[in-house]
mmCIF file with all atom_site columns, all heavy atoms in Angstrom:
data_model
loop_
_atom_site.group_PDB
_atom_site.id
_atom_site.type_symbol
_atom_site.label_atom_id
_atom_site.label_alt_id
_atom_site.label_comp_id
_atom_site.label_asym_id
_atom_site.label_entity_id
_atom_site.label_seq_id
_atom_site.pdbx_PDB_ins_code
_atom_site.Cartn_x
_atom_site.Cartn_y
_atom_site.Cartn_z
_atom_site.occupancy
_atom_site.B_iso_or_equiv
_atom_site.pdbx_formal_charge
_atom_site.auth_seq_id
_atom_site.auth_comp_id
_atom_site.auth_asym_id
_atom_site.auth_atom_id
_atom_site.pdbx_PDB_model_num
ATOM 1   N N   . THR A 1 163 ? -10.133 -21.296 -25.229 1.00 97.00 ? 538 THR A N   1
ATOM 2   C CA  . THR A 1 163 ? -9.313  -21.043 -26.421 1.00 97.00 ? 538 THR A CA  1
ATOM 3   C C   . THR A 1 163 ? -9.899  -19.858 -27.172 1.00 97.00 ? 538 THR A C   1
ATOM 4   O O   . THR A 1 163 ? -9.173  -18.970 -27.625 1.00 97.00 ? 538 THR A O   1
ATOM 5   C CB  . THR A 1 163 ? -9.301  -22.284 -27.345 1.00 97.00 ? 538 THR A CB  1
ATOM 6   O OG1 . THR A 1 163 ? -8.845  -23.410 -26.596 1.00 97.00 ? 538 THR A OG1 1
ATOM 7   C CG2 . THR A 1 163 ? -8.391  -22.050 -28.544 1.00 97.00 ? 538 THR A CG2 1
ATOM 8   N N   . ASP A 1 164 ? -11.241 -19.862 -27.299 1.00 97.00 ? 539 ASP A N   1
ATOM 9   C CA  . ASP A 1 164 ? -11.926 -18.775 -28.003 1.00 97.00 ? 539 ASP A CA  1
ATOM 10  C C   . ASP A 1 164 ? -12.425 -17.737 -27.001 1.00 97.00 ? 539 ASP A C   1
ATOM 11  O O   . ASP A 1 164 ? -13.397 -17.970 -26.276 1.00 97.00 ? 539 ASP A O   1
ATOM 12  C CB  . ASP A 1 164 ? -13.097 -19.330 -28.826 1.00 97.00 ? 539 ASP A CB  1
ATOM 13  C CG  . ASP A 1 164 ? -12.613 -20.181 -29.982 1.00 97.00 ? 539 ASP A CG  1
ATOM 14  O OD1 . ASP A 1 164 ? -11.666 -19.764 -30.668 1.00 97.00 ? 539 ASP A OD1 1
ATOM 15  O OD2 . ASP A 1 164 ? -13.168 -21.279 -30.198 1.00 97.00 ? 539 ASP A OD2 1
ATOM 16  N N   . LYS A 1 165 ? -11.711 -16.606 -26.961 1.00 98.00 ? 540 LYS A N   1
ATOM 17  C CA  . LYS A 1 165 ? -12.067 -15.491 -26.076 1.00 98.00 ? 540 LYS A CA  1
ATOM 18  C C   . LYS A 1 165 ? -12.435 -14.323 -26.989 1.00 98.00 ? 540 LYS A C   1
ATOM 19  O O   . LYS A 1 165 ? -11.605 -13.860 -27.771 1.00 98.00 ? 540 LYS A O   1
ATOM 20  C CB  . LYS A 1 165 ? -10.878 -15.123 -25.178 1.00 98.00 ? 540 LYS A CB  1
ATOM 21  C CG  . LYS A 1 165 ? -10.461 -16.267 -24.271 1.00 98.00 ? 540 LYS A CG  1
ATOM 22  C CD  . LYS A 1 165 ? -9.204  -15.948 -23.489 1.00 98.00 ? 540 LYS A CD  1
ATOM 23  C CE  . LYS A 1 165 ? -7.956  -16.157 -24.325 1.00 98.00 ? 540 LYS A CE  1
ATOM 24  N NZ  . LYS A 1 165 ? -6.731  -16.130 -23.494 1.00 98.00 ? 540 LYS A NZ  1
ATOM 25  N N   . ILE A 1 166 ? -13.674 -13.861 -26.860 1.00 98.00 ? 541 ILE A N   1
ATOM 26  C CA  . ILE A 1 166 ? -14.208 -12.949 -27.877 1.00 98.00 ? 541 ILE A CA  1
ATOM 27  C C   . ILE A 1 166 ? -14.660 -11.621 -27.262 1.00 98.00 ? 541 ILE A C   1
ATOM 28  O O   . ILE A 1 166 ? -15.315 -11.593 -26.219 1.00 98.00 ? 541 ILE A O   1
ATOM 29  C CB  . ILE A 1 166 ? -15.368 -13.642 -28.632 1.00 98.00 ? 541 ILE A CB  1
ATOM 30  C CG1 . ILE A 1 166 ? -14.822 -14.886 -29.342 1.00 98.00 ? 541 ILE A CG1 1
ATOM 31  C CG2 . ILE A 1 166 ? -16.016 -12.713 -29.642 1.00 98.00 ? 541 ILE A CG2 1
ATOM 32  C CD1 . ILE A 1 166 ? -15.801 -16.003 -29.476 1.00 98.00 ? 541 ILE A CD1 1
ATOM 33  N N   . CYS A 1 167 ? -14.295 -10.546 -27.950 1.00 97.00 ? 542 CYS A N   1
ATOM 34  C CA  . CYS A 1 167 ? -14.653 -9.192  -27.525 1.00 97.00 ? 542 CYS A CA  1
ATOM 35  C C   . CYS A 1 167 ? -16.064 -8.870  -28.021 1.00 97.00 ? 542 CYS A C   1
ATOM 36  O O   . CYS A 1 167 ? -16.330 -8.913  -29.224 1.00 97.00 ? 542 CYS A O   1
ATOM 37  C CB  . CYS A 1 167 ? -13.643 -8.218  -28.118 1.00 97.00 ? 542 CYS A CB  1
ATOM 38  S SG  . CYS A 1 167 ? -13.944 -6.499  -27.726 1.00 97.00 ? 542 CYS A SG  1
ATOM 39  N N   . GLY A 1 168 ? -16.986 -8.571  -27.104 1.00 97.00 ? 543 GLY A N   1
ATOM 40  C CA  . GLY A 1 168 ? -18.362 -8.239  -27.470 1.00 97.00 ? 543 GLY A CA  1
ATOM 41  C C   . GLY A 1 168 ? -18.452 -6.872  -28.124 1.00 97.00 ? 543 GLY A C   1
ATOM 42  O O   . GLY A 1 168 ? -17.506 -6.076  -28.105 1.00 97.00 ? 543 GLY A O   1
ATOM 43  N N   . LYS A 1 169 ? -19.613 -6.580  -28.685 1.00 97.00 ? 544 LYS A N   1
ATOM 44  C CA  . LYS A 1 169 ? -19.804 -5.324  -29.424 1.00 97.00 ? 544 LYS A CA  1
ATOM 45  C C   . LYS A 1 169 ? -19.735 -4.087  -28.521 1.00 97.00 ? 544 LYS A C   1
ATOM 46  O O   . LYS A 1 169 ? -19.240 -3.036  -28.937 1.00 97.00 ? 544 LYS A O   1
ATOM 47  C CB  . LYS A 1 169 ? -21.134 -5.358  -30.181 1.00 97.00 ? 544 LYS A CB  1
ATOM 48  C CG  . LYS A 1 169 ? -21.135 -6.268  -31.404 1.00 97.00 ? 544 LYS A CG  1
ATOM 49  C CD  . LYS A 1 169 ? -22.523 -6.328  -32.029 1.00 97.00 ? 544 LYS A CD  1
ATOM 50  C CE  . LYS A 1 169 ? -22.571 -7.213  -33.253 1.00 97.00 ? 544 LYS A CE  1
ATOM 51  N NZ  . LYS A 1 169 ? -22.209 -6.517  -34.498 1.00 97.00 ? 544 LYS A NZ  1
ATOM 52  N N   . VAL A 1 170 ? -20.240 -4.199  -27.288 1.00 94.00 ? 545 VAL A N   1
ATOM 53  C CA  . VAL A 1 170 ? -20.151 -3.068  -26.353 1.00 94.00 ? 545 VAL A CA  1
ATOM 54  C C   . VAL A 1 170 ? -18.684 -2.799  -26.036 1.00 94.00 ? 545 VAL A C   1
ATOM 55  O O   . VAL A 1 170 ? -18.203 -1.669  -26.125 1.00 94.00 ? 545 VAL A O   1
ATOM 56  C CB  . VAL A 1 170 ? -20.925 -3.353  -25.042 1.00 94.00 ? 545 VAL A CB  1
ATOM 57  C CG1 . VAL A 1 170 ? -20.679 -2.241  -24.021 1.00 94.00 ? 545 VAL A CG1 1
ATOM 58  C CG2 . VAL A 1 170 ? -22.413 -3.475  -25.316 1.00 94.00 ? 545 VAL A CG2 1
ATOM 59  N N   . MET A 1 171 ? -17.972 -3.850  -25.681 1.00 95.00 ? 546 MET A N   1
ATOM 60  C CA  . MET A 1 171 ? -16.546 -3.736  -25.356 1.00 95.00 ? 546 MET A CA  1
ATOM 61  C C   . MET A 1 171 ? -15.778 -3.129  -26.523 1.00 95.00 ? 546 MET A C   1
ATOM 62  O O   . MET A 1 171 ? -14.952 -2.215  -26.347 1.00 95.00 ? 546 MET A O   1
ATOM 63  C CB  . MET A 1 171 ? -16.000 -5.126  -25.014 1.00 95.00 ? 546 MET A CB  1
ATOM 64  C CG  . MET A 1 171 ? -14.552 -5.142  -24.590 1.00 95.00 ? 546 MET A CG  1
ATOM 65  S SD  . MET A 1 171 ? -14.305 -4.621  -22.883 1.00 95.00 ? 546 MET A SD  1
ATOM 66  C CE  . MET A 1 171 ? -14.738 -6.112  -22.004 1.00 95.00 ? 546 MET A CE  1
ATOM 67  N N   . GLN A 1 172 ? -16.045 -3.625  -27.730 1.00 95.00 ? 547 GLN A N   1
ATOM 68  C CA  . GLN A 1 172 ? -15.361 -3.140  -28.931 1.00 95.00 ? 547 GLN A CA  1
ATOM 69  C C   . GLN A 1 172 ? -15.625 -1.651  -29.161 1.00 95.00 ? 547 GLN A C   1
ATOM 70  O O   . GLN A 1 172 ? -14.705 -0.875  -29.428 1.00 95.00 ? 547 GLN A O   1
ATOM 71  C CB  . GLN A 1 172 ? -15.839 -3.945  -30.156 1.00 95.00 ? 547 GLN A CB  1
ATOM 72  C CG  . GLN A 1 172 ? -15.087 -3.635  -31.444 1.00 95.00 ? 547 GLN A CG  1
ATOM 73  C CD  . GLN A 1 172 ? -13.672 -4.188  -31.430 1.00 95.00 ? 547 GLN A CD  1
ATOM 74  O OE1 . GLN A 1 172 ? -13.477 -5.368  -31.210 1.00 95.00 ? 547 GLN A OE1 1
ATOM 75  N NE2 . GLN A 1 172 ? -12.690 -3.334  -31.640 1.00 95.00 ? 547 GLN A NE2 1
ATOM 76  N N   . ALA A 1 173 ? -16.896 -1.258  -29.042 1.00 94.00 ? 548 ALA A N   1
ATOM 77  C CA  . ALA A 1 173 ? -17.273 0.142   -29.269 1.00 94.00 ? 548 ALA A CA  1
ATOM 78  C C   . ALA A 1 173 ? -16.632 1.061   -28.227 1.00 94.00 ? 548 ALA A C   1
ATOM 79  O O   . ALA A 1 173 ? -16.176 2.162   -28.552 1.00 94.00 ? 548 ALA A O   1
ATOM 80  C CB  . ALA A 1 173 ? -18.791 0.297   -29.247 1.00 94.00 ? 548 ALA A CB  1
ATOM 81  N N   . GLU A 1 174 ? -16.597 0.612   -26.982 1.00 93.00 ? 549 GLU A N   1
ATOM 82  C CA  . GLU A 1 174 ? -15.992 1.419   -25.911 1.00 93.00 ? 549 GLU A CA  1
ATOM 83  C C   . GLU A 1 174 ? -14.503 1.656   -26.191 1.00 93.00 ? 549 GLU A C   1
ATOM 84  O O   . GLU A 1 174 ? -14.008 2.781   -26.090 1.00 93.00 ? 549 GLU A O   1
ATOM 85  C CB  . GLU A 1 174 ? -16.154 0.706   -24.552 1.00 93.00 ? 549 GLU A CB  1
ATOM 86  C CG  . GLU A 1 174 ? -17.593 0.571   -24.077 1.00 93.00 ? 549 GLU A CG  1
ATOM 87  C CD  . GLU A 1 174 ? -18.103 1.805   -23.359 1.00 93.00 ? 549 GLU A CD  1
ATOM 88  O OE1 . GLU A 1 174 ? -17.352 2.789   -23.228 1.00 93.00 ? 549 GLU A OE1 1
ATOM 89  O OE2 . GLU A 1 174 ? -19.264 1.790   -22.912 1.00 93.00 ? 549 GLU A OE2 1
ATOM 90  N N   . ILE A 1 175 ? -13.798 0.588   -26.557 1.00 92.00 ? 550 ILE A N   1
ATOM 91  C CA  . ILE A 1 175 ? -12.359 0.692   -26.827 1.00 92.00 ? 550 ILE A CA  1
ATOM 92  C C   . ILE A 1 175 ? -12.113 1.574   -28.055 1.00 92.00 ? 550 ILE A C   1
ATOM 93  O O   . ILE A 1 175 ? -11.256 2.452   -28.042 1.00 92.00 ? 550 ILE A O   1
ATOM 94  C CB  . ILE A 1 175 ? -11.751 -0.714  -27.028 1.00 92.00 ? 550 ILE A CB  1
ATOM 95  C CG1 . ILE A 1 175 ? -11.801 -1.504  -25.707 1.00 92.00 ? 550 ILE A CG1 1
ATOM 96  C CG2 . ILE A 1 175 ? -10.315 -0.622  -27.542 1.00 92.00 ? 550 ILE A CG2 1
ATOM 97  C CD1 . ILE A 1 175 ? -11.483 -2.979  -25.849 1.00 92.00 ? 550 ILE A CD1 1
ATOM 98  N N   . ASP A 1 176 ? -12.885 1.342   -29.118 1.00 93.00 ? 551 ASP A N   1
ATOM 99  C CA  . ASP A 1 176 ? -12.711 2.107   -30.358 1.00 93.00 ? 551 ASP A CA  1
ATOM 100 C C   . ASP A 1 176 ? -12.934 3.602   -30.133 1.00 93.00 ? 551 ASP A C   1
ATOM 101 O O   . ASP A 1 176 ? -12.167 4.442   -30.625 1.00 93.00 ? 551 ASP A O   1
ATOM 102 C CB  . ASP A 1 176 ? -13.668 1.610   -31.447 1.00 93.00 ? 551 ASP A CB  1
ATOM 103 C CG  . ASP A 1 176 ? -13.275 0.240   -31.990 1.00 93.00 ? 551 ASP A CG  1
ATOM 104 O OD1 . ASP A 1 176 ? -12.161 -0.223  -31.674 1.00 93.00 ? 551 ASP A OD1 1
ATOM 105 O OD2 . ASP A 1 176 ? -14.089 -0.377  -32.706 1.00 93.00 ? 551 ASP A OD2 1
ATOM 106 N N   . ASN A 1 177 ? -13.988 3.941   -29.392 1.00 93.00 ? 552 ASN A N   1
ATOM 107 C CA  . ASN A 1 177 ? -14.303 5.353   -29.149 1.00 93.00 ? 552 ASN A CA  1
ATOM 108 C C   . ASN A 1 177 ? -13.281 6.020   -28.240 1.00 93.00 ? 552 ASN A C   1
ATOM 109 O O   . ASN A 1 177 ? -12.899 7.177   -28.462 1.00 93.00 ? 552 ASN A O   1
ATOM 110 C CB  . ASN A 1 177 ? -15.715 5.492   -28.582 1.00 93.00 ? 552 ASN A CB  1
ATOM 111 C CG  . ASN A 1 177 ? -16.784 5.351   -29.652 1.00 93.00 ? 552 ASN A CG  1
ATOM 112 O OD1 . ASN A 1 177 ? -16.910 6.182   -30.536 1.00 93.00 ? 552 ASN A OD1 1
ATOM 113 N ND2 . ASN A 1 177 ? -17.552 4.271   -29.601 1.00 93.00 ? 552 ASN A ND2 1
#
Side-chain angles (χ1 to χ4, degrees):
T538 304
D539 292 315
K540 298 174 279 192
I541 298 149
C542 179
K544 287 175 180 273
V545 173
M546 183 79 80
Q547 186 72 55
E549 294 276 1
I550 293 169
D551 289 349
N552 282 293

